[in-house]
């Protein structure tokens, strides 16, 4: 007679039939039940076991235990060892998150190299409840309460609707051997406290607590998805992606009484921490900025501009030689000799080739730079004044390049040409320079 | 020296200054602290006290206690008594919800009649936590976890950031007298269990649990508002309100993988309970319906149509007499004699007044009804066939009216006139009937 477990698996995951399945097995109660179950169901399975080397000999014992089991039962097994502590230290992760990272990376790698279809893990209902309470106890957002899903991508958790109690019962009825689960070692004390002191009280209040909790989590998941929908829809209304930048229209955004929630959603992944500063930016002075390690957020009139922090040093200069017809860094420029002037635009200039001196130089502007703007009869103008007149944002200023001949500015690239290098009646050789 | 409480109140609610404030006081610890606090702060206050008559003499004792206190301290007081149990029974509410309903209704009434500005209640941080856990234990959605807000509309809860412990400390330091709070009587056992067996464990796990929890609730509130934003935005995209009906465009809606969540949000308030039937409707046959007590949801091709269940019985008939120039129920019709035919439209017919017999009758169609459609040379057609050809939805069919002269149909109102009553060369008296 098929068990509850078997019925659930075939009803909920009919698509697993004839698929090749990896089972993640630590050797603990839950994963040994998972393994036993899938042996009965006669799918094509192989076992994956990670040794995280967190408990020395005990970890090795787990590995031996599961290896022997697979040998006796004629099941393929893949094992690996991780230096979890070192990885955690290198990437500044908690041991637990490091272990998870290593484990899933390895799983996906094997999935690909061995052409398997899915990875099954032994998470159950109490895992989700314990994680909920741990996150709640520390303070969390909705994401911390929704629980791990039954399936995401290639990972399937067929035991998720079942309680630890049901799994233990199955193990006893089927004489399953297991070793104490080592994967939760780092928060074992906490989970035990929750398991023994907290969850029993909840079950006294409502004997069907675990079922009610599963419903709660599915409702929370629905709300979470709706909140994500809103985040995407509002983003599409107020954000414009421009190259590497994202421009947020504050006039639009501020119509929403809860716009801070949206800013948080959008900017969170860019590593910002100073949220109050960011919220202040919305009504702050034009020109103010907030930084994360790799990004900057600039208030520019009625726009917030998110951009990566430029990697080119302000002092770097780039030479262009006489036989260069193309420049690809830090800008894309094309240079060629032409016989006459064609279209003019901000992106193209024509200069008298005999007036310039190679190598031309591309550099950022600095305070005090000035030039003689084309069409102003040789009157000099400060670059800073030009930028102000052109209403350039701080980021646009910083991203601007000057094309220079010795110490004279030939072109404020893409903005204004210099008078001194322009084509005249006497010009013999015309150089066309085009910004791509 | 101002206390934490006083600082919080003046910083968080500066707009209360010079306002007239009602304090909801049960006589229990929390509300007596609230009262004492606002006496110190010298606002213009008056006390509101409800006797819910749930604990007999004890309730009367509470009332006397707070009356005496107000007399001694020269504070205005308003009291009222409710037959809470009877109200709960009448409206099929839990005692607690009935009490809340009665209380807030009375509060708002007094606010208006006495021109006060705000009502202050003594809810504190532990109240929110206990409610969270009660709802969690029973199973809940996000709404059950977000907590009561610091302010909604005219209700302000100035003690919400403070714990029961802090409030107790204040009471002891200020020698405040109180009576055991009677308002939570009905779930007192439950709250005590949570207070003594559950929350201490959470505080062992994290000594700052209550503060972390307040942050959690504010994050959840943010997510909740975003989910509500999404619900409104998607509604605007897929729903069209047409008179008393709402039409949901399924082609649009089904593009969303989580459309069920939205249907639930929108239809919940209309009293539907059979959610699986509703979800099945989306891909179900045209013509299928699901009912709540007062509403129906009909699948009509690629639309779900929500409409109130008609209150007019199918068998009712309405007479129109010769000197009636207007009909206002169940339809709006205008009747007048005219000298010639003007515009024709679905909403207007012209009939030969001598061919009809008053009283005309308005009635719903029934199976077997047939008539002679205008322009079909006296050929007879079943009304059911006409409706089918006109592609009327089930609701449209049910909402259709027939205007009859004796047992002959003069007009399928708004749809098609009968041939037999049309104007001819010999017509002497023209009656114009117009649907408004």
């Amino acid at each position: 007679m098929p068990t509850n477990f078997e019925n659930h698996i075939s009803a909920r995951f009919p698509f697993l039939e004839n698929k090749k399945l990896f089972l993640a097995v630590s050797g603990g109660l839950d994963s040994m039940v998972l393994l036993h179950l899938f042996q009965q169901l006669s799918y094509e399975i192989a076992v994956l076991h990670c040794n995280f080397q967190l408990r020395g000999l005990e970890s090795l014992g787990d590995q031996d235990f599961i290896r022997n089991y697979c040998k006796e039962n004629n099941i393929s097994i893949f094992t690996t060892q991780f230096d979890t502590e070192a990885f955690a230290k290198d990437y500044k992760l908690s041991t637990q998150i490091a272990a998870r990272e290593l484990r899933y990376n390895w799983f996906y790698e094997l999935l690909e190299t061995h052409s398997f279809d899915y990875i099954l893990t032994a998470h159950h209902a109490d895992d989700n409840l314990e994680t909920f309470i741990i996150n709640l106890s520390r303070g969390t957002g909705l994401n911390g309460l929704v629980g791990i899903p039954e399936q995401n991508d290639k990972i399937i958790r067929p035991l998720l609707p079942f309680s630890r109690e049901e799994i233990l019962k199955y193990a006893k009825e089927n004489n399953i051997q297991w070793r104490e689960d080592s994967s939760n070692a780092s928060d074992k004390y906490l989970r035990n406290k929750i398991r023994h002191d907290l969850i029993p009280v909840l079950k006294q209040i409502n004997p069907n607590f675990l079922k009610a909790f599963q419903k709660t989590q599915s409702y929370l998941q629905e709300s979470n998805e709706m909140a994500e929908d809103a985040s995407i829809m509002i983003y599409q209304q107020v954000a414009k992606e421009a190259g590497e930048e994202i421009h947020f229209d504050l006039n639009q955004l501020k119509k929403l009484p809860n716009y801070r929630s949206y800013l948080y959603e959008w900017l969170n992944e860019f590593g910002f921490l100073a949220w109050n500063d960011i919220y202040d930016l919305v009504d702050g002075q034009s020109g103010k900025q907030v930084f994360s390690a790799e990004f900057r957020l600039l208030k520019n009139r009625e726009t917030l501009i998110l951009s990566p922090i430029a990697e080119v040093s302000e002092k770097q200069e780039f030479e262009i030689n006489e036989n260069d017809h193309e420049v690809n860094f830090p800008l894309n420029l094309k240079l060629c000799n032409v016989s006459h002037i064609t279209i003019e635009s901000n992106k193209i200039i024509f200069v008298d080739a005999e007036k310039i001196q190679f190598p031309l130089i591309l550099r950022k502007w600095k305070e005090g730079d000035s030039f003689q703007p084309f069409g102003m009869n040789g009157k000099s103008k400060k670059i800073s004044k030009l930028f102000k007149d052109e209403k350039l944002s701080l980021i646009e200023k910083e991203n601007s390049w000057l094309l220079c001949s010795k110490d004279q500015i030939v072109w404020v690239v893409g903005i204004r040409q210099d008078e001194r290098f322009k084509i005249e009646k006497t010009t013999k050789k015309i150089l066309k320079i085009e910004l791509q």
Side-chain angles (χ1 to χ4, degrees), chain A:
Chain A
M1 207 184 79
T3 62
N4 273 345
F5 291 93
E6 290 167 16
N7 284 333
H8 168 71
I9 290 164
S10 55
R12 189 83 182 77
F13 306 104
F15 56 88
L16 289 187
E17 221 175 308
N18 301 318
K19 291 292 189 303
K20 293 166 83 176
L21 310 178
F22 277 135
L23 306 186
V25 179
S26 67
L29 165 64
D30 312 332
S31 59
M32 288 310 290
V33 164
L34 180 75
L35 176 51
H36 184 271
L37 207 54
F38 276 81
Q39 284 179 263
Q40 312 314 306
L41 289 164
S42 52
Y43 287 84
E44 182 175 350
I45 57 171
V47 160
L48 305 183
H49 176 83
C50 309
N51 179 349
F52 295 101
Q53 303 194 80
L54 292 169
R55 300 189 309 149
L57 284 179
E58 266 182 84
S59 297
L60 278 174
D62 293 345
Q63 189 177 312
D64 286 347
F65 167 75
I66 180 69
R67 269 194 181 143
N68 289 334
Y69 182 93
C70 288
K71 201 171 169 187
E72 282 163 23
N73 289 271
N74 206 16
I75 303 168
S76 307
I77 177 167
F78 299 84
T79 61
T80 191
Q81 301 202 346
F82 297 119
D83 190 347
T84 313
E85 298 288 18
F87 182 82
K89 213 175 148 189
D90 285 356
Y91 290 90
K92 297 197 181 76
L93 301 172
S94 74
T95 309
Q96 224 188 338
I97 287 174
R100 194 171 62 198
E101 198 74 7
L102 289 165
R103 179 167 62 225
Y104 282 112
N105 281 344
W106 184 60
F107 288 173
Y108 269 100
E109 219 178 280
L110 287 183
L111 205 60
E112 196 148 316
T113 50
H114 294 272
S115 301
F116 267 56
D117 299 296
Y118 293 100
I119 297 152
L120 277 49
T121 76
H123 290 93
H124 53 66
D126 284 274
D127 287 330
N128 258 351
L129 175 55
E130 287 161 23
T131 305
F132 178 100
I133 292 172
I134 290 173
N135 289 340
L136 177 67
S137 74
R138 291 172 179 160
T140 183
L142 188 51
N143 274 319
L145 301 183
V146 293
I148 205 164
E150 270 195 306
Q151 177 174 6
N152 52 348
D153 195 21
K154 299 289 181 190
I155 313 277
I156 291 176
R157 304 176 178 93
L159 302 185
L160 209 56
F162 301 100
S163 65
R164 173 175 293 106
E165 211 181 317
E166 290 169 290
I167 289 168
L168 186 60
K169 189 162 163 271
Y170 180 98
K172 286 185 175 161
E173 283 170 4
N174 292 279
N175 290 316
I176 294 173
Q177 307 288 309
W178 74 87
R179 285 176 60 93
E180 273 315 303
D181 202 322
S182 65
S183 65
N184 285 332
S186 72
D187 62 350
K188 193 155 220 158
Y189 166 78
L190 189 52
R191 285 188 184 261
N192 271 335
K193 188 154 192 66
I194 290 168
R195 215 169 279 172
H196 298 130
D197 296 348
L198 223 141
I199 293 173
V201 183
L202 290 167
K203 288 184 178 166
Q204 281 166 26
I205 295 173
N206 176 6
N208 290 316
F209 175 72
L210 205 56
K211 286 282 166 236
F213 175 71
Q214 287 174 345
K215 276 205 174 162
T216 298
Q217 280 201 319
S218 81
Y219 297 145
L220 296 183
Q221 182 55 45
E222 288 185 17
S223 293
N224 203 27
E225 284 166 11
M226 290 172 74
E228 282 167 13
D229 288 347
S231 174
I232 292 167
M233 285 188 283
I234 304 282
Y235 180 87
Q236 286 168 343
Q237 286 172 20
V238 310
K240 227 168 48 194
E241 294 176 6
E244 284 192 308
E245 295 178 358
I246 305 175
H247 295 226
F248 299 99
D249 177 344
L250 289 177
N251 285 331
Q252 279 265 47
L253 184 64
K254 278 158 72 178
K255 285 181 195 159
L256 302 167
N258 55 341
Y259 67 81
R260 291 179 177 195
S261 313
Y262 290 101
L263 278 179
Y264 179 85
E265 282 297 311
W266 301 330
L267 298 175
N268 192 24
E269 62 181 303
F270 295 98
F272 288 98
L273 295 171
W275 292 105
N276 284 332
D277 293 351
I278 288 180
Y279 302 146
D280 288 347
L281 217 53
V282 172
D283 292 309
Q285 262 195 322
S286 196
K288 284 211 167 188
Q289 339 182 37
V290 176
F291 293 87
S292 73
E294 293 175 37
F295 290 85
R296 115 177 50 206
L297 191 67
L298 167 73
K299 168 81 184 270
N300 182 46
R301 294 187 182 78
E302 286 312 302
T303 314
L304 282 185
I305 302 175
L306 175 75
S307 61
I309 294 170
E311 277 167 42
V312 175
S313 128
E314 299 304 305
K315 292 190 178 157
Q316 226 170 322
E317 297 189 347
F318 300 86
E319 288 190 0
I320 302 171
N321 292 307
E322 194 160 6
N323 44 8
D324 289 343
H325 296 301
E326 226 175 81
V327 176
N328 295 312
F329 195 76
L331 289 176
N332 288 314
L333 293 181
K334 267 197 174 172
L335 300 96
C336 60
N337 293 311
V338 293
S339 58
H340 57 280
I341 295 177
T342 51
I343 6 147
E344 292 200 67
S345 87
N346 280 342
K347 296 200 161 187
I348 298 172
I349 58 166
F350 297 90
V351 297
D352 189 326
E354 289 177 339
K355 291 184 186 163
I356 55 171
Q357 293 216 14
F358 284 99
L360 294 172
I361 289 164
L362 271 173
R363 66 167 174 86
K364 290 288 177 81
W365 78 290
K366 52 183 189 290
E367 209 54 64
D369 272 342
S370 63
F371 78 138
Q372 295 177 19
F374 193 99
M376 281 180 65
N377 301 318
K379 259 176 80 180
S380 181
K381 183 169 190 168
K382 287 214 164 159
I383 296 295
S384 57
K385 179 76 168 64
L386 173 76
F387 284 168
K388 207 178 161 191
D389 294 346
E390 297 278 331
K391 300 203 166 130
L392 259 53
S393 73
L394 197 54
I395 291 172
E396 286 168 328
K397 288 181 201 172
E398 289 183 10
N399 286 341
S400 291
W401 288 92
L402 306 180
L403 181 69
C404 305
S405 170
K406 295 239 159 171
D407 53 2
Q408 293 185 318
I409 293 167
V410 179
W411 190 20
V412 182
V413 180
I415 298 172
R416 192 74 82 91
Q417 179 174 4
D418 190 285
E419 179 87 10
R420 290 165 286 183
F421 303 93
K422 72 175 182 190
I423 308 300
E424 292 177 300
K425 281 182 187 163
T426 54
T427 300
K428 287 172 195 151
K429 216 173 141 189
I430 304 175
L431 179 66
K432 175 184 173 189
I433 308 176
E434 184 172 2
L435 175 66
Q436 308 262 277

